[in-house]
Amino acid sequence: MMSPILLAYIGIGLMIGLSGIGSAFGVSITGNAAVGALKKNPDAFGNYMVLSALPGTQGLYGFLGYFLLQNYLVADITMFQGAAIFGAGLALGLVCLITAYRQGQVCANGIAGIGAGYDVFGKTLILAVFSELYAIVALAATFMIGRTL
């Protein structure tokens, strides 16, 4: 039988790992789009940089989730606490993985539009925040799960 502390640490690992992978995918997608757009419109680098960095926030949420749950990572943790931390970690990790990837796609389309001469920076930011919202909701759920332990 798996020990509760091991189960909790697996959840923490999934939370940090999956959210980091999602952010790596997202910023890579936007970074590639920015390089392509720079060839057409190099004057909009500031806009490209902001949109390229946006999918990186999900990786930070996974890291923040660890700090929200770290006080419960003790040797005498119960099976209930270990399972709760595992579930919170898995949920936050998966949500951040998917939202960062999809947000990267939204931002990459905005970068391509700006590169083509369209004024879509603000609208792209608004649309990209929609996927960010779900990562924030998952982080809030992790906080609430931590409060019940």
Side-chain angles (χ1 to χ4, degrees):
M1 182 172 165
M2 183 177 291
S3 69
I5 190 70
L6 180 61
L7 183 63
Y9 270 111
I10 290 171
I12 295 291
L14 288 170
M15 176 175 57
I16 295 171
L18 293 173
S19 62
I21 290 168
S23 286
F25 276 127
V27 297
S28 296
I29 292 168
T30 56
N32 285 328
V35 169
L38 277 169
K39 296 173 187 172
K40 296 177 182 174
N41 182 5
D43 295 333
F45 177 73
N47 291 342
Y48 303 151
M49 187 176 64
V50 170
L51 292 174
S52 294
L54 201 55
T57 56
Q58 280 87 343
L60 297 175
Y61 297 156
F63 194 59
L64 179 59
Y66 164 74
F67 286 104
L68 292 173
L69 298 172
Q70 73 174 347
N71 290 336
Y72 304 102
L73 300 173
V74 293
D76 60 345
I77 187 174
T78 66
M79 183 53 92
F80 173 77
Q81 291 170 323
I85 291 171
F86 175 82
L90 180 62
L92 181 59
L94 285 174
V95 170
C96 286
L97 170 71
I98 295 168
T99 59
Y101 184 83
R102 300 300 288 185
Q103 188 178 54
Q105 292 174 322
V106 170
C107 290
N109 283 325
I111 290 168
I114 295 167
Y118 297 100
D119 183 19
V120 294
F121 176 71
K123 293 173 183 165
T124 301
L125 270 179
I126 291 169
L127 294 172
V129 166
F130 291 148
S131 57
E132 181 91 20
L133 173 66
Y134 292 99
I136 293 170
V137 168
L139 180 63
T142 300
F143 173 76
M144 289 188 288
I145 289 170
R147 299 284 296 168
T148 62
L149 298 178

